[in-house]
Amino acid sequence: MFLKRKKVRALAGEVDYSRLPRHIALIMDGNGRWAKKRGLPRKAGHAMGAETFRRIALYCKEIGLEYFTVYAFSTENWKRPADEVNAIMGLLEKYLLEAIEKMEKEQMKLHIFGDLTPLSPRLKELCARTEEIAKTVNGLQVNLCLNYGGRDEILHGVKTFAEACQRGETTPDALTETLFSQYLYSKDVPDPDLIIRPSGEIRISNFLLWQGAYAEYYFTDVLWPDFDKEELNRAIVSYQHRSRRFGGIGGV
Ligand code: FPP
């Protein structure tokens, strides 16, 4: 009886909080267009995008989501003008400082996925401090993809695995999907159930290529700075209406 009522609510367009996805991942796209529409510099769009990220992450915590992963800076984003790259790095530094200060109090832990090698020493140090504090915190896990690329992540995983083989710690015969997952930045994080891309682009742009194999995708025309909790709810309701079969035929 209880379950039936919950299902009806979901069909009516409401989120069924008893069946939330465990892990939502999101491409924060559309900041530049949002700024252009208002005659503002692109970096103003990123600043607004960073605010939207804070609000949505907080909402994810409120509803009890376990994992929220966002694409903050890709391995290809270095091609942008230096002024824009510096503005994004500045926003990231500000957020990392906030996270270091508030993570324990807010019970929200931050992890970084990506190759941190080309980041400034300051950002590297903040990422290291963040990872250290995260070890002691429970609650929503936010994964910030920073200098992240899905192909780069897979190559990095292959190289690390090959090195482990050379050291005699493992063998190619031992390699399974589960073992390989442990060589990725997302080690120990379950695959995303739902991947959202705002801004009207219908592509995945090198985001979570391995992990997204069986994810449900949700695309919306809303630009990221305008994305709000109602839009997230719409994505979750859409997810809750899908039948996930993971290559099987379902219902068995
Ligand atoms: C894509 O939009 C967005 C980015 C490349 C950067 C995203 C970065 C932030 C939101 C700020 C830093 C993040 C945090 C978590 C503090 P776009 O510029 O490609 O948009 P467009 O397609 O409209 O040009």
Side-chain angles (χ1 to χ4, degrees):
M1 182 62 196
F2 176 70
L3 273 178
K4 216 171 168 184
R5 212 174 49 234
K6 288 257 178 198
K7 200 170 172 195
V8 169
R9 272 204 306 153
L11 285 172
E14 276 184 42
V15 172
D16 178 348
Y17 293 102
S18 68
R19 290 192 309 117
L20 283 179
R22 280 187 83 189
H23 182 177
I24 296 181
L26 193 145
I27 301 176
M28 301 189 286
D29 195 18
N31 298 342
R33 278 163 283 166
W34 183 93
K36 194 173 173 204
K37 267 170 57 180
R38 287 161 180 78
L40 297 169
R42 292 178 59 84
K43 54 188 176 187
H46 296 310
M48 197 50 81
E51 287 309 313
T52 303
F53 161 74
R54 285 182 178 84
R55 276 199 306 277
I56 295 296
L58 217 58
Y59 181 61
C60 288
K61 190 186 108 170
E62 269 168 45
I63 62 175
L65 195 79
E66 289 179 66
Y67 300 90
F68 182 49
T69 302
V70 290
Y71 210 173
F73 195 84
S74 77
T75 41
E76 289 71 38
N77 286 153
W78 298 104
K79 294 178 200 152
R80 296 184 177 216
D83 178 48
E84 182 173 342
V85 170
N86 290 339
I88 297 174
M89 294 300 156
L91 291 165
L92 288 165
E93 178 172 336
K94 190 169 166 223
Y95 182 69
L96 287 170
L97 280 166
E98 260 173 58
I100 288 166
E101 199 189 310
K102 296 190 195 152
M103 239 191 293
E104 274 168 333
K105 198 171 113 226
E106 296 191 348
Q107 288 298 297
M108 222 161 109
K109 61 177 162 182
L110 187 66
H111 274 287
I112 317 292
F113 291 177
D115 174 10
L116 306 186
T117 325
L119 298 186
S120 69
R122 169 77 173 149
L123 269 181
K124 276 189 206 156
E125 184 219 325
L126 294 179
C127 289
R129 272 163 66 191
T130 302
E131 291 289 348
E132 206 44 48
I133 300 172
K135 288 181 192 157
T136 64
V137 178
N138 290 312
L140 170 70
Q141 176 166 330
V142 175
N143 304 306
L144 204 58
C145 297
L146 185 46
N147 190 34
Y148 174 88
R151 288 184 171 185
D152 181 68
E153 177 181 37
I154 293 169
L155 280 185
H156 174 263
V158 170
K159 282 184 197 161
T160 318
F161 175 74
E163 283 160 10
C165 288
Q166 276 177 338
R167 288 194 300 270
E169 291 165 14
T170 186
T171 63
D173 281 345
L175 193 61
T176 58
E177 291 186 9
T178 310
L179 179 63
F180 186 62
S181 300
Q182 290 301 306
Y183 287 88
L184 300 177
Y185 299 127
S186 59
K187 177 179 184 295
D188 296 330
V189 174
D191 287 344
D193 303 294
L194 171 63
I195 299 183
I196 302 174
R197 181 167 195 158
S199 95
E201 308 293 356
I202 307 184
R203 52 176 176 258
I204 54 169
S205 302
N206 208 8
F207 187 46
L208 302 180
L209 296 183
W210 174 274
Q211 301 86 339
Y214 284 102
E216 295 296 326
Y217 284 83
Y218 180 85
F219 298 96
T220 167
D221 286 341
V222 173
L223 301 175
W224 173 244
D226 292 328
F227 195 96
D228 56 16
K229 55 187 185 182
E230 281 72 35
E231 197 53 46
L232 186 70
N233 285 346
R234 272 192 277 281
I236 297 174
V237 170
S238 163
Y239 165 84
Q240 290 180 334
H241 282 91
R242 311 222 189 141
S243 153
R244 300 185 79 192
R245 294 189 292 274
F246 300 95
I249 56 171
V252 288

